[in-house]
Amino acid sequence: MNSLLIKNGRVLDPANEIDAQLDLLVVDGRVAAIGKNLSAAGAQIIDAEGLLVTPGLVDMHVHLRDPGLEYKEDIISGTAAAAAGGVTSIACMPNTRPVIDNLAVCRYIINKAKEQGTANVFPIGSITQGLKGEMLAEMGELKDGGCVAFSDDGVPVVSSELMRRAMEYADTFGAPIISHAEDLSLVGGGVMNDGPVATELGLKGIPWVAEDAMSARDIMLAEFTGAHLHLAHVSTRGSVELVRLAKARGLRVTCEATPHHFTLTDEAVRGYNTNAKMNPPLRAQGDVDAIRAGLADGTIDAIATDHAPHHIDEKNVEFAVALNGIVGLETLLPLTLRLVEQGIIELSQAIALLSCQPAAILGIDRGTLTQGAVADIALIDPYFSWQVEPTKLRSKSKNTPFGGWKMKGAAVKTILAGKLVFER
Amino acid sequence: MNFAHRHVLGIKQFNAEELNFILDTAKSFKEINTRKIKKVPTLRGRTIVNLFFEASTRTRTSFEIAGKRLSADTVNISASSSSVVKGETLEDTARNIEAMHPDIIVMRHSASGACHYLAERLDCSVINAGDGTHEHPSQALLDAVTMIQHKGQLAGLNVAIIGDITHSRVVRSNIDLLHKLGASVRIAGPKTMLPPGLERLGCKVFSRVAEALEGADVVMMLRIQLERQGKTLIPSLREYSRYFGLNEKNLALAKPDAIIMHPGPMNRGVEISSAVADGAQNVILDQVENGVAVRMALLYLAAGGEKQNHDADEGDIHEQLAD
């Protein structure tokens, strides 16, 4: 018997409405007990005085780049970044090479993560074969093989008819469709948010209506099909409002927001900063405020990073040419805790947005400390002060707009199925 | 005045005093261009590379003539900037050129921010000859010299700029310069060509040309660039000309002594009628003439101005101008 006793921490398990100074006992990789003054003969003891003891965090939107683009990131470096961020479960997007549209790639990812990774990896299969927007991928077999959702993230499904069928078909197997909602004709080659900053910089703008129009379409299709639609990385006031309305009408619609979209505005692009270039783009202050309000009132179900590693050569170019995306796994937790410090959400809400809520969307048995659950645990020091040094990130890529930022809060120990996978 | 700028990336970097200094310097260079021997030794021994990633006749020639009249060695490079074609990066291209020790790189590029990008990475001076839809500082400066030539000063002028604002780098530089030097800017064009935030930049925005022209001292027409506008912004050149073109009839709304400007190249019969383009109020070729003097000033100042000329034992600019 292999046991671990975490003593004197503040145990926060939103799924079970636990928030108290308690001990947590792990036996053979599972949560055995939570209670006061626990003891266990022979158990390894961790003193968690002053720390939060939470479920290992769940990031439902990550690009691991493995297979095919390992020069940006691979499963080993990506899960190392996750562990350093307190994240024990990640769902990875299918835009790998080859695409996750077949069982072989799905199995490769799951097996490599199990053998060499330091986090659970749940693949998200593609909606269409090769992300081409033409034929549905073999969702049944992919779901059975371990895929937890389906998405053509990065490219919207242009055809409404195909999106309808995708929702119907995915729902047949009980999997959500994750939509990258964007009307490409309205994007029209834009490279940043459309607005006064784009005008000043002379960069082509992506108007908010490009996202809102497609979010509205997909919500209509979710109503029509009755399927579970999850909107990835909502970035506009309109998207948040559309989801709020959909929920009020009882539709199976969920959504996520990224730390960068609730932290930064398009002002960050000034100076042609390619590390502030992502899709959807950083928006205006009104959008940031709407996302924060959506997190506060429960409209937004999850905080996810859209961790998108890119090589320096792909960012060290003219703004219009630079690739979209930033790394996020190692800054997820402190940026979320900023919302708590600013009084926008409660601490337990923050942890729920980072654990049980995304887990529920994906239907995975993680994100809780329920007795018998797999012991994926984050020990968080909410007052740990540190500065983001891009070169020290565990991710292979260093493309973050938060370089030099002073952060408060970090995972000091990350435990995966009872095993310590990261320690600060 | 101590001119502390190594690069000329946009009007944005300059305050009013610095802009006036550049304009005064340009004025002092203007006379050289009318001499029989149009050459002074100011930049003798200096190397200027005109690195043009976009087609240009007027601006490139203007910079080249400006450099030659200052006795610099000028080299022209035309390159393709197609971001689709995977090849050498902009940084590598520029570093290769820099390895040959030019003093100044004058660059035009299709990407907004390309000149900032270069300036951050190179040791030599970078002068922006137009970057994407961002800035075209030498154009705004030559426009200012032309307005001052005809109107005495910029302060208090009403300047109407009409056309495709979204895709114009000339407009962005002009708005900034004109506001810093006390002029008012009115903007007009179809709403498909008006980007958000113009009011925040201090402009008055109209969708009817007549409203912008009313009482204007200066009318600046912008080129309709068929290759940029694509198919969705205007239905036809015919309709554009009818509602947004400048002709003798709507020109009458401007002040009787209003001057007419165009950064070129003109589409006669589209944004401007030939009668107006060739009419008494047009100062379009004055703009081109002033362009050479402005670019001489920019090259001279970017190369270090007076101080370095003393080092080079060539006397100061005023002595040279007198020779």
Side-chain angles (χ1 to χ4, degrees):
Chain A
M1 207 170 70
N2 190 349
S3 55
L4 175 67
L5 182 58
I6 301 166
K7 289 195 75 72
N8 301 320
R10 176 178 169 190
V11 176
L12 249 174
D13 182 18
N16 294 304
E17 295 182 2
I18 294 172
D19 180 1
Q21 196 88 12
L22 295 167
D23 298 346
L24 188 155
L25 178 66
V26 176
V27 177
D28 289 339
R30 291 192 178 261
V31 176
I34 294 181
K36 282 194 191 303
N37 303 318
L38 296 183
S39 61
Q44 184 198 338
I45 292 178
I46 294 175
D47 181 10
E49 178 85 47
L51 302 179
L52 307 176
V53 179
T54 75
L57 308 183
V58 178
D59 184 353
M60 67 178 295
H61 194 139
V62 172
H63 297 272
L64 277 180
R65 310 296 191 204
D66 188 353
L69 301 163
E70 296 88 348
Y71 69 96
K72 299 178 196 241
E73 191 82 286
D74 61 28
I75 288 169
I76 299 167
S77 63
T79 57
V87 175
T88 53
S89 292
I90 57 190
C92 64
M93 284 296 172
N95 59 342
T96 46
R97 293 190 190 159
V99 169
I100 313 178
D101 62 0
N102 62 83
L103 199 53
V105 177
C106 172
R107 281 189 177 146
Y108 160 82
I109 291 169
I110 291 171
N111 290 339
K112 184 168 176 183
K114 275 197 179 126
E115 287 160 15
Q116 302 177 63
T118 50
N120 308 303
V121 176
F122 299 94
I124 294 170
S126 65
I127 294 173
T128 65
Q129 295 174 27
L131 300 172
K132 289 194 181 122
E134 291 163 6
M135 303 275 290
L136 292 179
E138 293 178 339
M139 296 186 194
E141 189 169 84
L142 286 166
K143 179 75 168 41
D144 282 347
C147 283
V148 292
F150 295 93
S151 180
D152 275 6
D153 184 55
V155 236
V157 177
V158 174
S159 159
S160 304
E161 202 272 337
L162 186 61
M163 192 57 151
R164 168 198 171 176
R165 299 304 179 195
M167 287 187 190
E168 289 171 343
Y169 196 71
D171 200 38
T172 308
F173 299 97
I177 288 286
I178 300 178
S179 167
H180 172 108
E182 195 179 35
D183 181 323
L184 289 181
S185 67
L186 286 170
V187 171
V191 297
M192 71 170 289
N193 183 47
D194 193 36
V197 182
T199 297
E200 276 186 58
L201 295 177
L203 292 171
K204 190 151 176 25
I206 302 172
W208 52 259
V209 71
E211 178 171 319
D212 294 16
M214 198 58 122
S215 296
R217 182 202 74 171
D218 286 346
I219 288 170
M220 293 292 160
L221 288 172
E223 177 168 21
F224 178 75
T225 59
H228 177 184
L229 166 71
H230 177 81
L231 292 179
H233 44 50
V234 294
S235 74
T236 63
R237 180 165 53 187
S239 277
V240 176
E241 188 54 32
L242 285 164
V243 172
R244 189 175 285 124
L245 285 171
K247 288 188 165 180
R249 295 172 60 217
L251 307 185
R252 293 171 69 202
V253 173
T254 56
C255 72
E256 76 201 20
T258 71
H260 47 276
H261 287 119
F262 64 65
T263 305
L264 300 172
T265 67
D266 56 2
E267 293 284 341
V269 176
R270 286 189 191 279
Y272 299 94
N273 178 7
T274 57
N275 282 331
K277 185 181 180 190
M278 62 281 288
N279 189 17
L282 297 173
R283 301 284 186 183
Q285 188 62 47
D287 299 299
V288 171
D289 294 342
I291 292 169
R292 290 165 165 235
L295 288 163
D297 73 7
T299 301
I300 297 170
D301 305 272
I303 295 173
T305 58
D306 194 4
H307 179 84
H310 287 300
H311 193 271
I312 177 85
D313 291 346
E314 296 163 331
K315 283 291 193 183
N316 189 16
V317 291
E318 303 90 298
F319 191 87
V321 181
L323 295 185
N324 283 314
I326 59 166
V327 294
L329 280 164
E330 291 166 77
T331 47
L332 168 66
L333 179 59
L335 291 172
T336 303
L337 291 175
R338 272 165 59 99
L339 297 179
V340 178
E341 189 170 336
Q342 291 165 2
I344 290 155
I345 54 175
E346 299 293 326
L347 180 61
S348 62
Q349 244 181 321
I351 301 304
L353 285 159
L354 291 172
S355 59
C356 56
Q357 290 179 192
I361 291 166
L362 299 173
I364 58 175
D365 58 348
R366 307 286 160 147
T368 78
L369 299 173
T370 307
Q371 195 173 358
V374 175
D376 293 348
I377 301 165
L379 270 58
I380 296 166
D381 179 350
Y383 302 107
F384 187 88
S385 286
W386 61 290
Q387 191 165 18
V388 181
E389 291 176 65
T391 54
K392 290 194 176 165
L393 295 175
R394 277 83 177 167
S395 176
K396 271 189 197 175
S397 296
K398 314 299 176 192
N399 49 315
T400 173
F402 300 108
W405 277 46
K406 291 213 164 58
M407 297 287 188
K408 203 155 96 179
V412 291
K413 283 187 173 60
T414 305
I415 294 163
L416 184 71
K419 289 200 181 74
L420 192 65
V421 288
F422 173 79
E423 192 171 13
R424 195 180 297 272
Chain B
M1 173 188 158
N2 194 9
F3 188 81
H5 297 273
R6 186 156 56 95
H7 307 295
V8 179
L9 304 178
I11 296 301
K12 187 167 253 176
Q13 76 194 75
F14 300 116
N15 60 29
E17 189 191 2
E18 290 167 328
L19 288 170
N20 278 322
F21 182 69
I22 298 170
L23 294 173
D24 289 345
T25 308
K27 216 187 303 176
S28 66
F29 275 116
K30 203 172 157 181
E31 181 267 336
I32 297 168
N33 296 313
T34 58
R35 293 183 201 170
K36 199 164 178 190
I37 308 292
K38 302 177 185 62
K39 210 174 183 82
V40 290
T42 311
L43 295 184
R44 196 170 59 204
R46 304 296 183 92
T47 306
I48 299 167
V49 173
N50 293 321
L51 179 58
F52 276 61
F53 289 91
E54 269 189 345
S56 161
T57 307
R58 194 180 329 254
T59 305
R60 190 187 55 71
T61 308
S62 184
F63 267 109
E64 185 179 359
I65 288 176
K68 289 201 153 102
R69 289 195 177 154
L70 293 171
S71 300
D73 297 309
T74 59
V75 180
N76 294 321
I77 300 172
S78 297
S80 163
S81 66
S82 169
S83 55
V84 186
V85 182
K86 287 251 176 177
E88 199 175 39
T89 64
L90 175 58
E91 182 172 15
D92 284 338
T93 303
R95 283 202 183 286
N96 274 277
I97 293 166
E98 195 186 35
M100 302 175 212
H101 300 291
D103 298 279
I104 299 172
I105 292 179
V106 177
M107 184 168 81
R108 168 167 290 189
H109 198 281
S110 59
S112 298
C115 295
H116 287 76
Y117 174 92
L118 220 59
E120 282 171 9
R121 289 162 175 81
L122 298 187
D123 293 326
C124 70
S125 292
V126 176
I127 294 181
N128 183 357
D131 64 325
T133 53
H134 178 228
E135 280 230 42
H136 193 351
S138 63
Q139 178 73 39
L141 287 160
L142 72 86
D143 289 341
V145 170
T146 308
M147 287 182 222
I148 292 166
Q149 177 186 337
H150 290 277
K151 296 287 165 195
Q153 58 172 17
L154 294 177
L157 289 183
N158 279 313
V159 181
I161 307 179
I162 292 156
D164 182 359
I165 309 303
T166 301
H167 295 98
S168 176
R169 52 191 170 215
V170 174
V171 164
R172 286 170 177 78
S173 290
N174 259 302
I175 288 172
D176 197 13
L177 183 148
L178 290 168
H179 283 149
K180 279 173 176 163
L181 296 185
S184 304
V185 179
R186 305 146 164 208
I187 299 283
K191 288 187 176 180
T192 49
M193 294 175 168
L194 300 179
L198 290 170
E199 290 89 350
R200 207 169 87 168
L201 295 176
C203 303
K204 287 193 191 118
V205 183
F206 304 95
S207 48
R208 298 284 175 167
V209 170
E211 294 169 322
L213 288 176
E214 189 83 45
D217 297 290
V218 177
V219 181
M220 188 182 294
M221 301 305 294
L222 299 175
R223 173 180 169 73
I224 284 297
Q225 286 170 289
L226 294 169
E227 67 276 15
R228 281 229 170 95
Q229 275 98 24
K231 294 192 179 85
T232 59
L233 300 190
I234 52 171
S236 65
L237 293 181
R238 175 178 168 273
E239 174 148 316
Y240 184 87
S241 168
R242 181 166 168 193
Y243 288 96
F244 303 99
L246 186 68
N247 50 51
E248 285 173 300
K249 198 173 160 210
N250 60 12
L251 177 58
L253 296 167
K255 282 193 186 155
D257 62 345
I259 55 170
I260 296 158
M261 304 176 76
H262 193 299
M266 286 187 286
N267 293 304
R268 288 170 178 266
V270 181
E271 70 266 7
I272 190 165
S273 73
S274 279
V276 172
D278 300 329
Q281 288 164 267
N282 106 77
V283 297
I284 296 166
L285 292 178
D286 291 344
Q287 291 175 268
V288 179
E289 184 188 346
N290 290 329
V292 176
V294 160
R295 286 160 183 138
M296 289 168 82
L298 292 178
L299 292 171
Y300 164 72
L301 292 171
E306 293 171 318
K307 190 161 171 279
Q308 290 194 16
N309 278 287
H310 284 303
D311 295 345
D313 198 24
E314 286 178 351
D316 71 17
I317 177 176
H318 301 293
E319 285 174 36
Q320 291 155 26
L321 290 172
D323 72 10

